[in-house]
Amino acid sequence: NAGVTQTPKFRILKIGQSMTLQCTQDMNHNYMYWYRQDPGMGLKLIYYSVGAGITDKGEVPNGYNVSRSTTEDFPLRLELAAPSQTSVYFCASSYSGTANEKLFFGSGTQLSVL
Amino acid sequence: AQSVTQLGSHVSVSEGALVLLRCNYSSSVPPYLFWYVQYPNQGLQLLLKYTSAATLVKGINGFEAEFKKSETSFHLTKPSAHMSDAAEYFCAVSESFGQFYFGTGTSLTVIP
């Protein structure tokens, strides 16, 4: 049972570099989400998707881009990495996105921008 | 927008003692409420959720939470702490599609 898989687990970037955080789920979930977790700040929603080809901004989208070409994959792209993007990133998914439905989380990507 | 307040970013209890983690939300309409647990180097896992069926909700690993509308609270409790309960706990609320709001988390330490 793979669930939600994120790669890489750790990454160090230099300022101005770009990278893509990968997220894939094998549960045929329609909704997928990207959160960032900063110490003492809880989780903040970056982007979410309600299905292939449809994405929307969350609370903190600046500096990030997403795409959803398939149901399974929801990559998050950082174009010009900045120190403020140092964080732990979590991908999550749910089947229908309803308010009472639980989220399934990946194990996270720890990103440092130096 | 919703807000979730978790009082106490760090809580320490002795093994076998009562665990009480506090969560308050801001909403004039009862939302859906969740507690998630995060073990080191892992993603969040659902502990329990409130969906208006019953005010006392039982979750996994002996945890339970009580929804109190008058206090806008959803505190998490466990009668007897175990070493394996050491983790970060997040309260979350949701009102509509795709909109989840998480608290800042409470780190639970269990002292042997």
Side-chain angles (χ1 to χ4, degrees):
Chain A
N1 295 337
V4 179
T5 303
Q6 290 182 240
T7 56
K9 291 190 180 300
F10 305 94
R11 185 71 184 271
I12 297 175
L13 284 181
K14 294 182 179 179
I15 295 172
Q17 286 185 320
S18 62
M19 77 163 294
T20 299
L21 282 66
Q22 301 291 346
C23 176
T24 186
Q25 52 90 10
D26 63 357
M27 297 173 284
N28 200 33
H29 283 175
N30 294 305
Y31 278 66
M32 295 187 74
Y33 313 80
W34 275 106
Y35 288 91
R36 59 177 287 171
Q37 181 184 28
D38 299 307
M41 299 294 289
L43 278 73
K44 301 293 185 184
L45 182 64
I46 305 171
Y47 271 95
Y48 69 100
S49 169
V50 304
I54 307 170
T55 62
D56 206 350
K57 296 178 180 179
E59 190 176 357
V60 290
N62 291 343
Y64 306 96
N65 281 301
V66 294
S67 59
R68 184 94 181 269
S69 57
T70 66
T71 299
E72 294 79 18
D73 301 307
F74 189 42
L76 177 71
R77 180 127 181 110
L78 285 70
E79 292 292 350
L80 291 170
S84 61
Q85 294 178 306
T86 294
S87 187
V88 180
Y89 292 84
F90 287 101
C91 180
S93 72
S94 66
Y95 181 70
S96 62
T98 52
N100 64 344
E101 189 180 8
K102 78 172 187 179
L103 299 177
F104 291 79
F105 285 85
S107 57
T109 295
Q110 187 170 329
L111 175 66
S112 295
V113 182
L114 306 175
Chain B
Q2 277 278 5
S3 69
V4 181
T5 302
Q6 289 185 241
L7 292 176
S9 57
H10 298 276
V11 171
S12 294
V13 300
S14 298
E15 190 174 17
L18 172 71
V19 176
L20 171 61
L21 305 181
R22 300 177 187 273
C23 174
N24 289 86
Y25 64 92
S26 66
S27 176
S28 58
V29 178
Y32 296 105
L33 297 155
F34 305 78
W35 275 100
Y36 283 86
V37 59
Q38 183 183 27
Y39 298 105
N41 300 314
Q42 295 185 27
L44 280 70
Q45 306 170 34
L46 181 69
L47 204 54
L48 51 81
K49 68 176 180 179
Y50 167 76
T51 59
S52 77
T55 57
L56 184 62
V57 182
K58 294 187 183 299
I60 61 172
N61 301 334
F63 283 93
E64 60 183 35
E66 185 173 8
F67 170 70
K68 291 188 177 180
K69 182 179 177 180
S70 61
E71 299 177 7
T72 59
S73 69
F74 190 57
H75 301 332
L76 181 70
T77 60
K78 182 174 180 178
S80 177
H82 191 272
M83 296 298 294
S84 61
D85 295 327
E88 187 94 16
Y89 292 81
F90 291 92
C91 182
V93 302
S94 178
E95 283 185 329
S96 59
F97 277 94
Q99 297 293 333
F100 290 83
Y101 299 92
F102 287 84
T104 53
T106 298
S107 178
L108 176 66
T109 300
V110 181
I111 303 167

